[in-house]
Structure formats: structure tokens, C-alpha cells
Amino acid sequence: MSFLLSLLLRRICLFAARQGCLSHWEKLSSISAQKWRRLFFKCECFQKGGAFKFRGACNAVFSLDNDQAAKGVATHSSGNHAAALSLAAKLRGIPAYIVIPKGAPKCKVENVMRYGGQVIWSEATMQSRESVASKVLQETGAVLVHPYNDGRIISGQGTLSLELLEQAPDIDTLIVPISGGGLVSGVALAAKSINPAIRVLAAEPRGANDAAQSKVAGRIITLPETDTIADGLRAFLGDCTWPIVRDLVDDIITVDDEEIIEAMKLCYEILKVVVEPSGAIGLAAVLSDSFKKNPALKNCSNIGIILSGGNVDLGGLWDSFRK
Amino acid sequence: MSFLLSLLLRRICLFAARQGCLSHWEKLSSISAQKWRRLFFKCECFQKGGAFKFRGACNAVFSLDNDQAAKGVATHSSGNHAAALSLAAKLRGIPAYIVIPKGAPKCKVENVMRYGGQVIWSEATMQSRESVASKVLQETGAVLVHPYNDGRIISGQGTLSLELLEQAPDIDTLIVPISGGGLVSGVALAAKSINPAIRVLAAEPRGANDAAQSKVAGRIITLPETDTIADGLRAFLGDCTWPIVRDLVDDIITVDDEEIIEAMKLCYEILKVVVEPSGAIGLAAVLSDSFKKNPALKNCSNIGIILSGGNVDLGGLWDSFRK
């Protein structure tokens, strides 16, 4: 971590949130170019299940009528949506069938099991995920709850803006990780309905920059493959999320994996908050040259950063303490 | 992490604190022996400087009169007190002279420098620390602020109890890391003045169990050497802290390093909070058999755990993401 960055990140105080926790630092006193900026963190790693996904999953599960709900819910996901759906289903007392591609992060699979989700394995390809999921739906009659391309999910994620703007009404800019677009769509819809002047920026890894490409092309672009450590940011936009991203997201900032790692490090070392790579990308974006040197973003002075989740395999860290 | 433990640690919500942050989980629903227990976390890792030490250092620095303060403050410390004193001195606009033994954790030395403390190196032995410090005091006329054996420090640390018991008035038991005894002395004095029936337990590493031995012997015991990963818990009681520990600390629970590592893991994986080994020892104590099977502790039902700090070198973790 550069010394300047670490200085930049001092002075933190923490506020409570309804579900997550917001931390906030008053001054970026050490980098003159940014010293008038204030950053507010919405710590969705403190959310139930360790990520924002519980918002949308809860909204989806509890908006089902009793007949629909009786047969349970299903999804295919390698990550936080799967655990969140399992937890929401458990709270309603209905089954959750989760198709998980082989190679999914261990801690995320453990979360699914912990919350009582029934794991069905598929191959890693999207084709295999979809065909296994479709078989599960046929056999169980469960309702499919898509991780992001679903109005109930988008609305649920939007509750984040309601909370954050109540806690920090001065925020003029929001920075939100983008993958399939469920989070940023909900956040943008809710935030702009409260304050139409608010700026909503998405942050995307360079190795999975389909959303940035889509904005340029004016249509959904998908990629043959993605390459990023941010395992939660590899999905592509859907037909529900694309029009919202196209119309309400003001800009997309792409950062590389090294910038994500540096931002993670700051979260651990200075904020003392555990984030996963996808969760740190908003901070990486604010600290990037693409943000700082962009004249259009010069007047962003109260910036809300969504730390979207904290589910990460810390693997060898524990053994390193045992030596 | 055992599956049971991870279940035990679900259901968290977070509350704000004045300076730190309190997190709290409602139910330990998965371990029947403990399911009626509620745990409250006082997250001093979110404190300025990343540890509770800022409380005492601030109290000491701001209680000096102008003449005393003018020449600055000094201490010898390998850790969080040094950084906290530097920061408090910086806020008052006076110099801080910090004697640091070689081999101190890198992140803690960086904190001292970040806050403008003037670092003077000594050898690692207590003798060298003291002789270098005494030379610094002679040369500068600075006021020595001992890390724990000082009434101003003890009082400052006690503010933690005032906050915690305001936030969670039902707490019947506090678990506090013990090293030189400054924190637990302040916490016990303040907590028992509010609620004389409150139980104050100290948590100590087995490899530095001088306080537990002192309680048994009825006098201060020091050890020829200590062996624990909890680098903040290697000091011995002083003549100010010993009488308070003797009279107000109800029991001392010793845990081994493996239990500390498991508790750290739970803090990172479930609470999503970054703690240092010393900071996790209170949770380790609550989860230990010595706690759970102690009949005298059977009726501890609302337990406040002090996560005392979060300054830890995560070393190879970042490189592991780069592979």
C-alpha cells in the first residue's frame, strides 16, 4: 500500500444501518487533489449472508403467494445469491434448490449449506448450469429466482439506496459494482427517485468489461470469456437490467485486478472490514486515475461506495499464523 | 472452522458506537449448551489508530497542563499504544518520542510514523527499551506516558465500559484481553461502578499467563519469557494495575494460540471484522471449554466481548490473490 493512500484513508467513524453498516471518513486530507472529497461506505459485508444479495432474495421469496411458495425456489449461482436465496427460503420455511457450478468458491458453497439450501452440482459452463436448473424446475415445480434479471430482485437491491440516502443525505455520487446489473439497477432506480440529480457510477473489472462495452455499443455485449479475480463480477447484463443500466447509470469505470487488490488491502488495513474482491471494486474505482482525472467527475464531493460483500476464501492466511 | 461454530456465529446485526462499533448477535441457536447466550462485540479495531489504546493516550495527553505538554510525550512500546500516543500528541500539536524495540510488527511501526511519532529504535530487551527511553526523557524533557501502569491511561480505557453499557445495558459479563492490565482495570472500574453485579473476566494466552499465575499467587508474577502469537499480550502487570486486577477481575481464562487463531477466523469469516490475534482472544475464551464447562459461569447470558484491536500484518495474503 502506498503511504499516501494509507494516509488518505485515516479518519473513519462508523454509523449503524438497518441491515448493513455504513462507515464514513470525513477527510481525505493527504491527497490534495481529493482533500475536499468525503467518502461514505455502505458495508454490505455486514449484511446477513455477508453480501447485499439478501435484500433481493428476501423480496423475491416473500413476494410469492402461498401456492407458489409451497414448492420452493430454485436458482443457479456460484455465489452470494445462492446463499441469500437459501436463507430467505429458510426464513419462509420453504425449500431452496441451488444449482452450483463446480469450482465455485468454497466459502460461498458453505454458506448455501449452512442456510439449508439443497445443492445440485453442474459443470462450470452456463449451458450445463441452465440445463441442470431446468431439470430441477421440472422435477420440483419450484419457482426460478434469477440472480439479477428479475424485477423483484432489482427492487430488493434498491432498498440499499433508501437506507444509505437516509443515513447520508448529502451523497451526490454512488459507486456500485456491476456484473449482471441487478444491484446497480436497483440502486440507481431508488436513488434517482429520491434525488434525480444524484450521479450513479458503476465499477467493473477490466477483464469482464462487458457492461462498459455495452454502454458504448448501445446494446448488450457478452464476452467469450472473462478474466478477473472478482468472482462475483463475471455475469452479463440481462434484458431487465440493460435498459436501466443504459438509461440511469451515468458512467462505468473499469479497473484492473491489481487496483482491486490494493483497494481490498486498504479495506482490511485501514477500515478493518473484510471484503471480497468484488466488494472492493468501488473503492478501487474512486482511487483510480480514470476517476480522479475525469473532468466530468470533478465535482463529486460526497461519494457513497458500496462494499458489496465479504465472502472470500482467506485460505493460507490461517496457516501463516501457525508457523 | 468447525461447522457448528460457524453456525453459532450467524445472525449478526451492528450498532453504532461513539468511537468504535458494537456488533451483536442475538442467538447462539446451534449449540444447545449456549443457545440462551447473547454475545455483544465492542469492535475497538474500528477505533482511531485501530485499537482501544487511543482512549487512554488521549486522556493522558489532554490532561497535561500547557507547560508539561510543551516538551512533548514519550513512551516505549512495540505496538498500539505507540501509535495512539503519536496520534493524541498530533491532535494536541506536541511532539511524541517513541522508543520501539527492533522486531516490532511492521504495521504498528507504520502507524506510529503515519501519525507523526518520532521513532527511536532500541534493542528488543526490556532493559534496552528502558535505558533508551530514559535517555530520550533526559534529552527532551518530555513526559513519559506508560502504556498501562498509569492512572490516566486506566481511566481513559474505562470509557469503553461507559459506551458499551449505554449501548447494551443488559450485559452481565465482560470479557477483556489482559496484558499489562490497563484495559481490564479501566473496564472493570467503570463497569462495576455502573453495575456492581457485573462479572469481569480477563482472557490471557497460555504462553503468557503471568496474570493468571499472579491471581493464584496473590502477588505479581513475571515470566522469564513469553510464547504466543498475541503480540499485544506479552506485558506483565504493574503496581497500578495489579491491585485492580486482584480485586475486581472475577476470573482469568487462559486459551492457547490455536484457539486464538480459530476465533480470528470466525471474526473474519462471520463477523467480517479484521482483528489482530490479541483482539480475538475474548471470543476464543467464550468458545473455550474452560468457559463453557465452568459451573461458576453458567449464568453468563449477555456477554460483552472486547475485540481490542485490528492491527495485524496480513503479509502473504495479498500475494495469494495475485497468483
Side-chain angles (χ1 to χ4, degrees), chain A residues 193 219 252:
Chain A
S193 73
R219 62 183 172 86
I252 297 183

Side-chain angles (χ1 to χ4, degrees), chain B residues 50-120:
Chain B
F52 72 93
K53 293 282 191 180
F54 186 61
R55 298 174 181 275
C58 247
N59 195 45
V61 165
F62 283 90
S63 63
L64 298 174
D65 65 34
N66 286 341
D67 286 347
Q68 288 175 307
K71 291 181 177 166
V73 287
T75 197
H76 55 96
S77 158
S78 60
N80 288 323
H81 172 66
L85 192 68
S86 304
L87 178 54
K90 186 181 171 192
L91 291 176
R92 185 151 182 186
I94 62 175
Y97 305 98
I98 312 290
V99 177
I100 300 188
K102 287 176 189 164
K106 193 166 150 267
C107 66
K108 294 184 177 177
V109 180
E110 282 172 358
N111 279 345
V112 169
M113 295 174 170
R114 176 179 296 136
Y115 294 134
Q118 301 184 31
V119 174
I120 302 109

Side-chain angles (χ1 to χ4, degrees), chain B residues 33-223:
Chain B
Q34 299 219 311
K35 73 179 169 192
W36 43 274
R37 285 189 164 133
R38 296 165 77 209
L39 305 193
F40 298 78
F41 294 92
K42 185 67 174 163
C43 297
E44 291 287 293
C45 35
F46 297 154
Q47 183 59 266
K48 305 264 184 258
F52 72 93
K53 293 282 191 180
F54 186 61
R55 298 174 181 275
C58 247
N59 195 45
V61 165
F62 283 90
S63 63
L64 298 174
D65 65 34
N66 286 341
D67 286 347
Q68 288 175 307
K71 291 181 177 166
V73 287
T75 197
H76 55 96
S77 158
S78 60
N80 288 323
H81 172 66
L85 192 68
S86 304
L87 178 54
K90 186 181 171 192
L91 291 176
R92 185 151 182 186
I94 62 175
Y97 305 98
I98 312 290
V99 177
I100 300 188
K102 287 176 189 164
K106 193 166 150 267
C107 66
K108 294 184 177 177
V109 180
E110 282 172 358
N111 279 345
V112 169
M113 295 174 170
R114 176 179 296 136
Y115 294 134
Q118 301 184 31
V119 174
I120 302 109
W121 292 97
S122 78
E123 298 303 316
T125 64
M126 191 52 80
Q127 199 183 15
S128 164
R129 286 165 62 155
E130 284 174 354
S131 77
V132 174
S134 135
K135 207 174 144 215
V136 168
L137 291 177
Q138 278 178 352
E139 285 171 6
T140 61
V143 178
L144 177 71
V145 181
H146 192 275
Y148 54 87
N149 204 42
D150 181 315
R152 300 162 299 189
I153 293 291
I154 293 171
S155 313
Q157 319 304 27
T159 59
L160 189 157
S161 290
L162 305 184
E163 285 176 20
L164 182 55
L165 295 180
E166 189 180 292
Q167 295 165 316
D170 292 340
I171 283 177
D172 53 49
T173 306
L174 289 168
I175 305 208
V176 191
I178 190 166
S179 180
L183 176 61
V184 77
S185 294
V187 163
L189 280 168
K192 295 202 176 193
S193 71
I194 296 171
N195 172 12
I198 206 165
R199 192 185 272 109
V200 177
L201 307 175
E204 189 171 49
R206 205 173 308 283
N209 67 347
D210 56 290
Q213 289 192 38
S214 301
K215 288 279 274 186
V216 171
R219 62 183 172 84
I220 299 178
I221 301 284
T222 61
L223 306 172

Side-chain angles (χ1 to χ4, degrees), chain A residues 63-80:
Chain A
S63 64
L64 297 174
D65 66 35
N66 287 342
D67 286 346
Q68 288 175 305
K71 292 182 176 165
V73 287
T75 197
H76 56 95
S77 158
S78 60
N80 289 323

Side-chain angles (χ1 to χ4, degrees), chain A residues 220-239:
Chain A
I220 299 178
I221 300 283
T222 60
L223 305 172
E225 57 185 16
T226 58
D227 178 19
T228 172
I229 52 160
D231 59 278
L233 302 180
R234 292 176 190 149
F236 306 131
L237 298 167
D239 60 350

Side-chain angles (χ1 to χ4, degrees), chain B residues 223-243:
Chain B
L223 306 172
E225 57 184 18
T226 57
D227 177 18
T228 173
I229 52 160
D231 60 278
L233 302 181
R234 292 175 190 150
F236 307 132
L237 297 167
D239 59 351
C240 295
T241 53
W242 160 241

Side-chain angles (χ1 to χ4, degrees), chain A residues 176-190:
Chain A
V176 191
I178 191 167
S179 178
L183 175 62
V184 76
S185 293
V187 163
L189 279 168

